[in-house]
Amino acid sequence: MRSDMNDLTIGLGARKARAMRRGDRLKIAEAFSLRDLPLFANIDDETLSTLALEAKVESCEAGVTIFRQGDPIVSIVVVLSGFVKLMRIAPGGDETLIAIRANGETIVEPVMGPDETYGVSAETVGPTTIVKVPAARFARLAKESAALGAAVEQDAKNRIAGLVAEIESLKSQNADLRLANFILSLCPPGEEQCRFRLPYDKRLIAALLGVKQETLSRAFAKLREHGVRTETRDILVESVSRLVAQCEHLGRAMRPPERTGRLTRDNAA
Amino acid sequence: MRSDMNDLTIGLGARKARAMRRGDRLKIAEAFSLRDLPLFANIDDETLSTLALEAKVESCEAGVTIFRQGDPIVSIVVVLSGFVKLMRIAPGGDETLIAIRANGETIVEPVMGPDETYGVSAETVGPTTIVKVPAARFARLAKESAALGAAVEQDAKNRIAGLVAEIESLKSQNADLRLANFILSLCPPGEEQCRFRLPYDKRLIAALLGVKQETLSRAFAKLREHGVRTETRDILVESVSRLVAQCEHLGRAMRPPERTGRLTRDNAA
DNA sequence: CGCCGGGTTGATTTCAGTCAAGCAACGTGG
DNA sequence: CCACGTTGCTTGACTGAAATCAACCCGGCG
């Protein structure tokens, strides 16, 4: 994990655009403006420039541990490019994937109190660039700037919504259905037919969906009969709407015709 | 759902204590101070009394819907006594339980922006009393009072930690193990042998653990052989430490002797 | 009484995990 | 350049866990 310069200028659109066009990862990081990150999109200039002074951009190769579950929180981390996987480590040592963060997503919920520790471990998946802001500075700024505070709150809300959705799918859908929904989430909106490349390897996808890779492979095989062509890592969805329809069928197939009773109307102690 | 008076005095320890001793639910609600709720424990008096003016206490019987997924957020809700179940409703109509809130827990993440909607449905489980604060007022106060803002943030953090733990257990533990951990979470800390009553019926517990009630029943049967006596709704844990040990064994039994490779060190697109 | 609703139990099926083999793509070193 | 090991992915045969279907028990309660 080597640290790069921290030229976090807050408004160099042209320079950034040039870098983006070139597609050079390092250059992108260099020219990236905090303003482009959802978390900082609506922050006042003053707060943002203070933040920029404190922020450090880092480029990591694959498999680098950014922080470990239980470590004291020293930095707020945002992903600029690449992917970071978050996982829980059980006392026994086995890891369960919780989520994968990409693009402009924040990794840890910015926390206030001191003596706080990370609730998960974070590790890069493929080459990745991130921004780190010292947690203490960040907390102080979040207190002072209403806009930043609101952004943090919104971020937490998004994260909660994501986790709730994950719990829902784990509890109520089988492997095939979860995969189908995952594929759909990758399809660019509005296109009936689409072709794209899986963002990360199938082991990771399996872990994300909560199944073994063999099971995932078989799930892909089933989807093949519903218009989803796969070639190792390239996906072709022949008809998005058809796949959506299939999802509903799969869902219906799982639960018997029509349920009469809801989830109980039981009484507590 | 009938609304009671909103006598939210902020410091009547003696009166509250008396009501508590009597154990009368209505009286408790009446005498309850916002100060007793974790969310408001450290708030400045001024903010708290403003809040108290806006807050309404309500007593509900079992099976009452507090709000529905997709409804615009009008109130921040905190549980005073009883239980509230939160669930997601799929388009097809089937419900999946996400969490159960009790004691002094908040139900929804307090949100700022207008036009926000509830991400889950909330319904009482057994007779329950709750406090409602209009969302708009609450948001304004949270902006103005740093202490309240911090409390909200802490609350969100707790909620995230809980959801992450639930995902972890769903992905990495079988039904027996999840039940064992659930039982352990109900045991009062520090006691080697304990006896208590399940907080809600077994259908709900099954939904919480993400299994069918039949499976839960069998899981209880297995635990019976490990020192957990059950009599419909009453539980006797003969030895907490023994149960903890069993959990580790169950965990070890699931995953083969010793894993060499970690979760992959794969590369992204 | 008889009729629930909640809980248990048993028989069977379905889904996903395990074990094991095999294949294609890739990089490395001879 | 090819032999080779590695890594990611797929497939098949089998096992095991949990869902399903169904019967039954038992403690209220009209």
Side-chain angles (χ1 to χ4, degrees):
Chain A
M1 182 173 346
R2 99 197 112 89
S3 170
D4 291 301
M5 53 178 308
N6 40 347
D7 173 16
L8 277 266
T9 52
I10 63 170
L12 283 187
R15 182 172 162 201
K16 177 198 118 205
R18 241 181 293 123
M20 296 281 282
R21 238 177 285 119
R22 261 185 281 132
D24 180 320
R25 200 161 44 77
L26 271 186
K27 285 292 161 33
I28 290 178
E30 190 180 308
F32 225 105
S33 155
L34 289 183
R35 184 67 77 194
D36 296 316
L37 302 174
L39 186 62
F40 302 124
N42 299 313
I43 309 305
D44 50 293
D45 285 350
E46 189 188 337
T47 305
L48 198 62
S49 51
T50 312
L51 221 41
L53 290 177
E54 303 283 356
K56 274 211 304 281
V57 174
E58 288 184 7
S59 289
C60 311
E61 49 187 7
V64 171
T65 295
I66 298 179
F67 53 76
R68 252 178 272 270
Q69 175 180 339
D71 285 355
I73 296 183
V74 294
S75 303
I76 303 309
V77 183
V78 183
V79 181
L80 286 186
S81 70
F83 300 92
V84 174
K85 63 181 179 186
L86 305 183
M87 48 208 182
R88 292 273 292 185
I89 320 275
D94 61 305
E95 314 168 341
T96 60
L97 183 66
I98 298 298
I100 296 178
R101 305 256 176 263
N103 284 327
E105 298 177 308
T106 62
I107 296 190
V108 270
E109 61 286 9
V111 213
M112 336 237 51
D115 303 335
E116 298 277 359
T117 60
Y118 294 111
V120 295
S121 293
E123 185 181 317
T124 58
V125 174
T128 303
T129 65
I130 59 179
V131 189
K132 285 184 171 181
V133 183
R137 310 288 186 140
F138 188 93
R140 191 170 47 73
L141 281 175
K143 271 207 192 32
E144 290 167 1
S145 160
L148 183 54
V152 167
E153 194 118 339
Q154 183 59 43
D155 188 70
K157 222 187 119 254
N158 293 340
R159 174 141 319 124
I160 288 175
L163 294 174
V164 165
E166 191 169 348
I167 291 176
E168 181 185 21
S169 79
L170 283 173
K171 278 189 178 177
S172 70
Q173 303 177 347
N174 65 13
D176 301 342
L177 197 43
R178 290 207 294 279
L179 174 59
N181 283 130
F182 176 73
I183 300 278
L184 285 174
S185 76
L186 293 176
C187 292
E191 292 179 29
E192 171 60 6
Q193 177 174 344
C194 60
R195 181 189 299 276
F196 55 88
R197 170 166 276 251
L198 293 174
Y200 20 76
D201 79 32
K202 293 193 176 169
R203 265 243 247 307
L204 247 202
I205 295 177
L208 192 59
L209 300 181
V211 299
K212 301 281 124 176
Q213 53 178 347
E214 297 97 321
T215 304
L216 178 70
S217 191
R218 293 181 228 274
F220 265 115
K222 281 196 205 161
L223 286 189
R224 210 161 291 141
E225 298 154 16
H226 297 298
V228 180
R229 306 267 144 216
T230 71
E231 206 171 315
T232 57
R233 205 147 160 184
D234 293 300
I235 305 289
L236 166 63
V237 180
E238 292 176 355
S239 162
V240 171
S241 58
R242 182 171 149 218
L243 187 54
V244 171
Q246 276 302 334
C247 278
E248 280 155 17
H249 283 150
L250 284 176
R252 217 155 306 289
M254 284 176 8
R255 36 200 131 286
E258 193 45 55
R259 200 99 53 84
T260 57
R262 311 261 107 165
L263 227 187
T264 24
R265 185 148 311 166
D266 28 35
N267 34 357
Chain B
M1 183 177 339
R2 102 195 111 89
S3 168
D4 291 300
M5 53 178 310
N6 40 347
D7 173 16
L8 279 264
T9 53
I10 63 170
L12 283 186
R15 183 172 163 199
K16 179 200 115 203
R18 240 181 295 123
M20 296 282 282
R21 237 177 286 119
R22 261 184 281 131
D24 180 321
R25 199 161 42 79
L26 271 186
K27 286 292 164 31
I28 290 178
E30 190 180 310
F32 224 106
S33 155
L34 289 185
R35 185 66 77 195
D36 297 316
L37 302 175
L39 186 62
F40 302 125
N42 300 313
I43 308 304
D44 49 294
D45 285 351
E46 189 187 339
T47 305
L48 198 62
S49 51
T50 312
L51 220 41
L53 290 177
E54 304 282 356
K56 275 211 303 280
V57 174
E58 288 183 7
S59 289
C60 312
E61 49 188 5
V64 170
T65 295
I66 299 178
F67 53 76
R68 253 179 272 268
Q69 176 181 338
D71 285 356
I73 296 182
V74 294
S75 304
I76 303 308
V77 182
V78 182
V79 181
L80 286 186
S81 70
F83 300 92
V84 174
K85 63 180 179 186
L86 305 184
M87 48 207 181
R88 291 273 293 185
I89 319 275
D94 60 304
E95 313 168 339
T96 60
L97 184 66
I98 299 297
I100 296 178
R101 304 254 178 263
N103 284 327
E105 298 178 308
T106 61
I107 296 191
V108 271
E109 62 284 11
V111 213
M112 336 237 49
D115 304 334
E116 298 278 359
T117 60
Y118 294 109
V120 295
S121 292
E123 185 181 318
T124 58
V125 174
T128 302
T129 64
I130 58 179
V131 189
K132 284 183 173 181
V133 182
R137 310 287 187 139
F138 188 93
R140 191 170 48 73
L141 281 174
K143 271 206 194 33
E144 290 168 2
S145 160
L148 183 54
V152 166
E153 193 118 339
Q154 183 59 42
D155 189 69
K157 220 186 119 257
N158 292 341
R159 175 142 317 125
I160 288 175
L163 294 175
V164 165
E166 192 170 349
I167 291 176
E168 181 186 21
S169 79
L170 283 172
K171 278 189 177 176
S172 69
Q173 303 176 347
N174 65 12
D176 301 341
L177 197 43
R178 291 207 295 278
L179 174 59
N181 284 130
F182 176 73
I183 300 278
L184 285 174
S185 76
L186 293 177
C187 292
E191 293 180 28
E192 171 60 6
Q193 176 174 344
C194 60
R195 181 190 299 276
F196 55 89
R197 169 167 277 251
L198 293 175
Y200 19 77
D201 79 31
K202 292 191 177 170
R203 266 241 247 307
L204 247 202
I205 294 176
L208 191 59
L209 301 181
V211 298
K212 299 283 125 174
Q213 52 180 344
E214 296 97 320
T215 304
L216 178 70
S217 192
R218 293 181 230 272
F220 266 115
K222 281 195 205 161
L223 286 189
R224 210 160 293 140
E225 299 153 18
H226 297 299
V228 180
R229 306 268 142 213
T230 72
E231 205 170 316
T232 57
R233 206 147 160 182
D234 294 301
I235 305 290
L236 166 62
V237 180
E238 293 176 355
S239 162
V240 171
S241 58
R242 182 173 150 215
L243 187 53
V244 171
Q246 276 302 332
C247 277
E248 281 155 17
H249 283 152
L250 283 177
R252 217 154 307 288
M254 284 176 7
R255 35 200 132 287
E258 194 45 54
R259 200 102 52 86
T260 57
R262 312 259 109 168
L263 229 186
T264 25
R265 186 147 310 166
D266 29 34
N267 36 354

